[in-house]
Amino acid sequence: MTVALPGPAPRPRPLPADEPLSPEDYRRVVGVVEAVDHAGDLAEFRELLVTALRTWFGYNGVTVLHGDNAADAVENGCGVLAGYSAEFLDTYAAGGWERVDPFRDQGFLRRLAEVGVARLTDVEEGSEGARFRDHFLLPRGIADKAAMLIDAAPSGVLWVGVAVPDGVRNVPDRDLAVLRVLRRHLTPLAVEQLARHRTRLATRGDWDLTPREWDVADLAAQGLTNRQIAARLFIGVDTVKKHLTRVLAATSCGSRTQLAVLFTSRDTPV
């Protein structure tokens, strides 16, 4: 009789003792990737990624942005934010804190583009970044933040930010390791979504809409209600109404039905 599998079965490779991530961490990484790999478009990809990071790793404040480059992503804020209170966001904008936010600093952005993942507390003590953390974040219950950048040039970049609560000195090395592993696995998915999104926008270049208005228009054309759009984009219903009014005017549509027909005709290959 012929033996199909001769010899003793090989033993599985032992896990290294100094591995920064546990088997449970890797299972959570797989959970995040599986949550986003079926997204139909960039808007859904962003929403699913935010939810997965909060569900699988327990991050409260999560930001997923995209743009032509890192500076464009953080300056224009095209994307979604979850877990941050309205008071926090209002104070950030009204208090001028964006001017000293190291995540907007060109030096930090260049470094992030080189390393892929970085945390706020890596900024030198005594710098504006340290002042931002000590006088704005810490009094509001945030100890540190980390950012991950996926470069999908020429289709743009995807920026992912997470915050850790006060009581933790800084973003742990384990969390940085998680983000590095996630970045490797999310990159092909993000590149595909950003490329498809760029192609879709190229077919509608004659409409003068902001990135956020594009998001609202896309979701409204898919038949989502204002409340569903608000939930998808993590914004208020009144904000959705404002954007939708602008979208209908810019596209010369009298209703959401006309908008859906118009978007469908633009997406159909000639």
Side-chain angles (χ1 to χ4, degrees):
M1 181 180 66
T2 301
V3 178
L5 301 174
R11 293 184 178 182
R13 176 183 176 181
L15 295 175
D18 58 348
E19 173 64 46
L21 299 185
S22 67
E24 180 182 355
D25 287 325
Y26 282 109
R27 177 63 189 95
R28 293 178 185 277
V29 168
V30 172
V32 172
V33 175
E34 288 182 336
V36 303
D37 65 358
H38 63 279
D41 55 30
L42 183 60
E44 185 179 13
F45 180 86
R46 295 179 324 209
E47 176 206 359
L48 292 174
L49 181 55
V50 167
T51 302
L53 288 172
R54 301 184 74 190
T55 302
W56 283 101
F57 286 100
Y59 296 123
N60 192 18
V62 180
T63 306
V64 178
L65 308 174
H66 62 89
D68 292 337
N69 50 55
D72 180 49
V74 297
E75 288 294 333
N76 293 322
C78 182
V80 291
L81 294 85
Y84 295 102
S85 68
E87 182 274 335
F88 175 87
L89 297 176
D90 289 344
T91 303
Y92 176 83
W97 288 104
E98 61 184 21
R99 293 194 297 272
V100 294
D101 186 343
F103 279 5
R104 293 172 177 263
D105 178 74
Q106 291 298 320
F108 184 90
L109 294 176
R110 284 193 296 271
R111 177 185 177 192
L112 181 62
E114 294 173 355
V115 300
V117 173
R119 59 189 163 197
L120 184 63
T121 44
D122 289 336
V123 178
E124 293 182 4
E125 290 297 327
S127 66
E128 289 283 34
R131 187 169 76 86
F132 175 79
R133 174 177 177 265
D134 294 342
H135 296 281
F136 178 68
L137 294 182
L138 283 175
R140 291 165 179 82
I142 296 177
D144 197 6
K145 299 174 70 175
M148 172 178 72
L149 186 70
I150 295 176
D151 190 346
S155 300
V157 303
L158 188 78
W159 161 287
V160 180
V162 299
V164 297
D166 192 10
V168 180
R169 185 174 180 273
N170 53 30
V171 174
D173 290 342
R174 169 259 187 183
D175 289 63
L176 292 182
V178 163
L179 291 177
R180 292 188 185 101
V181 173
L182 272 172
R183 180 173 178 265
R184 291 197 297 271
H185 290 284
L186 290 175
T187 291
L189 300 175
V191 168
E192 178 185 5
Q193 289 292 352
L194 288 167
R196 289 168 56 189
H197 183 70
R198 181 63 60 91
T199 299
R200 293 187 70 194
L201 291 185
T203 65
R204 307 169 184 171
D206 55 334
W207 293 338
D208 183 23
L209 299 177
T210 67
R212 177 58 81 205
E213 289 167 350
W214 281 116
D215 284 342
V216 172
D218 263 325
L219 296 177
Q222 293 175 35
L224 275 68
T225 66
N226 288 351
R227 189 167 297 280
Q228 289 171 328
I229 294 172
R232 286 281 296 271
L233 300 179
F234 300 95
I235 58 178
V237 174
D238 289 341
T239 301
V240 173
K241 293 178 180 177
K242 180 184 69 175
H243 288 321
L244 188 56
T245 298
R246 171 78 178 85
V247 166
L248 295 176
T251 58
S252 300
C253 291
S255 67
R256 300 163 81 108
T257 301
Q258 290 182 0
L259 183 68
V261 172
L262 183 60
F263 266 51
T264 301
S265 65
R266 289 296 185 97
D267 285 337
T268 303
V270 178

